[in-house]
Amino acid sequence: MPPGDAPRTVPASLSATAVRAALDVLPHQTAILDHDGVIVLCNRAWLEFMRENGGNPATCGPGVNYLNVCENATGLCADEGEEVARGMRDVLGGRRESFSTEYPCHSPTEQRWFRLTVTPFDDGPSRYLLATHENVTERRHVEIREADMDAEVRQEVALRTITLRNEVNELDSFIGAVSHDLRAPVRHIQGFLTLLRRRLDPRLGEEDRRLLTVIDGATQRLNSMIDELLKLARVTQTALQIRELNLAQVVLRAWANLAPETEGREIDWVAGDLPVVRGDPQLLTLAFENLLSNAVKYTSGRARAKIEVGARDVGDHWVVFVQDDGVGFDPRYTERLFGAFQRLHSEQEFSGVGMGLANVKRIVTRHGGQVWAESHPGEGATFYLSFPKPAR
């Protein structure tokens, strides 16, 4: 307003006309209710919707108590009618600032949903309600389609998970059966090789002896691989015997089982405070045996090695670590560590078939946890295992 201009007075008749016109241009069904819930004004959209659905002004137009209409609703909308009436009474009584709800209002030809919004306003001492019904059918259809798609995705994921689990179980059974069957021919090769040595020993030259030694080493390695495959199959197929375990006792038992490997070694053994977890004692002992055996193996080049086991509290999980100061590994190949028959060092450097960490991963995964590792060449390695905390 320009400075000095006095406010313009709007005539009452023009004001009422403007209100009606304003209501009529609104796209949603809108009505004004007085303090008793009687419809004072309603717009064109309200009247058109009423006529299209078999109503008339005498049942839901100006002068009709809308609260009574809602409270006396019958059929599919009866529950929504009572809720709407309660909400509007709360707003009129000052117990709520506003009220809104979504409700179905289906017709014989289509499914429809509306959102009712009730907002109060005052004209002097009198309180009124502005009630607006917005058609939200399109949005609800989108939500329903998305919900159906989510349900289909969940069902598909569940089906694929079951299928994958069955395939893994079948594969593990196959691995176990084949590995067991391979033992006999490998034993035969080793037996015939020993017999051949005895018979031909006087006539064997140096090259012949070397070749026989190579064959013997290969069969021994094959036998070790078969043993590890059988362990892997057992780790997967064995039913878990879950109970609460003090990991400190599990780790100490695993360390004691490695006495033949640590004999004659100078190792600083550090075991920090370890948590109580839920798990299978035999499988978790096997997991820590593999981790500690790795640490013993890859610190063999040190006159005095250090191996440490500890834990950190990370909220809903415990993270347990096994750390050594051995040769370490290239971090670019970390993912290969936990694969079957994957090795980052040659057989000449360190013996083994590369199945220990694969067993560790399967065991920890079956306990609902994860495994990962960190290292740099020459700087040792740290292996981490996460365990969910027992529910209290």
Side-chain angles (χ1 to χ4, degrees):
M1 179 182 300
D5 286 0
R8 297 180 60 186
T9 302
V10 179
S13 59
L14 179 60
S15 177
T17 303
V19 169
R20 289 190 178 90
L23 288 177
D24 282 339
V25 298
L26 294 176
H28 310 310
Q29 295 92 48
T30 306
I32 296 177
L33 285 59
D34 67 12
H35 63 281
D36 292 323
V38 175
I39 299 174
V40 178
L41 290 173
C42 60
N43 68 350
R44 185 180 294 111
W46 182 288
L47 295 173
E48 288 176 353
F49 182 80
M50 183 172 49
R51 294 190 187 96
E52 290 171 359
N53 289 274
N56 60 73
T59 58
C60 203
V64 176
N65 191 308
Y66 192 57
L67 293 179
N68 293 339
V69 171
C70 294
E71 289 173 333
N72 296 323
T74 59
L76 297 176
C77 298
D79 293 339
E80 288 79 8
E82 293 178 3
E83 179 190 1
V84 168
R86 284 195 303 270
M88 289 193 292
R89 289 190 186 280
D90 287 343
V91 175
L92 285 170
R95 293 181 294 276
R96 300 176 67 161
E97 292 184 359
S98 62
F99 171 75
S100 65
T101 185
E102 287 191 10
Y103 62 93
C105 185
H106 305 323
S107 73
T109 58
E110 64 174 331
Q111 289 186 318
R112 301 177 303 190
W113 285 266
F114 288 82
R115 180 172 187 81
L116 168 65
T117 303
V118 177
T119 308
F121 66 94
D122 297 325
D123 182 15
S126 301
R127 166 152 288 203
Y128 294 88
L129 296 182
L130 181 68
T132 302
H133 294 264
E134 177 187 359
N135 191 324
V136 294
T137 301
E138 185 175 350
R139 174 174 61 77
R140 287 299 297 267
H141 281 161
V142 171
E143 292 173 351
I144 291 171
R145 286 195 296 271
E146 290 177 348
D148 289 343
M149 290 178 62
D150 289 342
E152 289 179 8
V153 169
R154 287 195 298 270
Q155 184 177 7
E156 181 67 20
V157 169
L159 180 60
R160 291 191 180 187
T161 300
I162 293 172
T163 302
L164 181 60
R165 186 179 291 118
N166 291 337
E167 289 176 353
V168 169
N169 290 337
E170 290 175 4
L171 180 60
D172 289 332
S173 299
F174 173 76
I175 290 173
V178 170
S179 300
H180 188 272
D181 291 343
L182 283 174
R183 275 185 155 177
V186 172
R187 284 198 300 268
H188 291 160
I189 293 173
Q190 289 177 318
F192 285 126
L193 188 60
T194 300
L195 183 61
L196 188 62
R197 267 204 177 98
R198 289 174 183 172
R199 287 186 178 182
L200 300 180
D201 186 72
R203 291 175 286 173
L204 292 175
E206 287 299 319
E207 180 62 13
D208 298 327
R209 295 179 191 280
R210 187 187 71 80
L211 292 175
L212 289 176
T213 300
V214 170
I215 296 172
D216 187 43
T219 55
Q220 289 181 16
R221 180 171 174 78
L222 179 57
N223 201 44
S224 297
M225 294 173 72
I226 292 170
D227 288 340
E228 293 299 327
L229 279 173
L230 286 171
K231 285 182 184 178
L232 186 65
R234 282 197 295 270
V235 163
T236 304
Q237 295 176 334
T238 301
L240 293 177
Q241 304 296 321
I242 298 294
R243 60 184 178 88
E244 288 200 350
L245 301 170
N246 187 330
L247 271 187
Q249 297 177 356
V250 173
V251 170
L252 289 176
R253 190 181 309 118
W255 182 251
N257 292 343
L258 297 179
E261 298 179 35
T262 59
E263 186 176 357
R265 293 281 308 277
E266 296 236 11
I267 299 176
D268 292 332
W269 165 246
V270 181
D273 292 334
L274 296 177
V276 172
V277 301
R278 287 185 58 77
D280 184 296
Q282 291 187 342
L283 290 183
L284 288 182
T285 299
L286 176 60
F288 280 100
E289 279 183 17
N290 283 320
L291 289 172
L292 294 173
S293 178
N294 263 12
V296 170
K297 180 195 302 184
Y298 292 111
T299 58
S300 59
R302 289 189 173 274
R304 189 178 190 89
K306 180 180 179 180
I307 299 174
E308 180 179 0
V309 181
R312 294 199 301 263
D313 186 341
V314 292
D316 59 349
H317 279 68
W318 290 105
V319 172
V320 181
F321 64 87
V322 177
Q323 188 175 59
D324 65 63
D325 59 353
V327 297
F329 59 83
D330 191 328
R332 292 179 299 174
Y333 307 116
T334 302
E335 292 301 318
R336 288 177 50 189
L337 285 172
F338 301 99
F341 301 120
Q342 297 293 320
R343 307 194 67 226
L344 303 187
H345 299 277
S346 67
E347 179 70 19
Q348 289 72 27
E349 292 178 289
F350 300 98
S351 62
V353 296
M355 286 293 290
L357 293 179
N359 273 329
V360 171
K361 182 176 181 179
R362 286 212 174 186
I363 291 170
V364 175
T365 300
R366 291 193 68 189
H367 283 77
Q370 295 179 314
V371 295
W372 66 98
E374 296 176 355
S375 180
H376 288 284
E379 299 180 8
T382 305
F383 290 85
Y384 298 94
L385 298 77
S386 71
F387 294 97
K389 288 184 179 179
R392 296 298 182 187

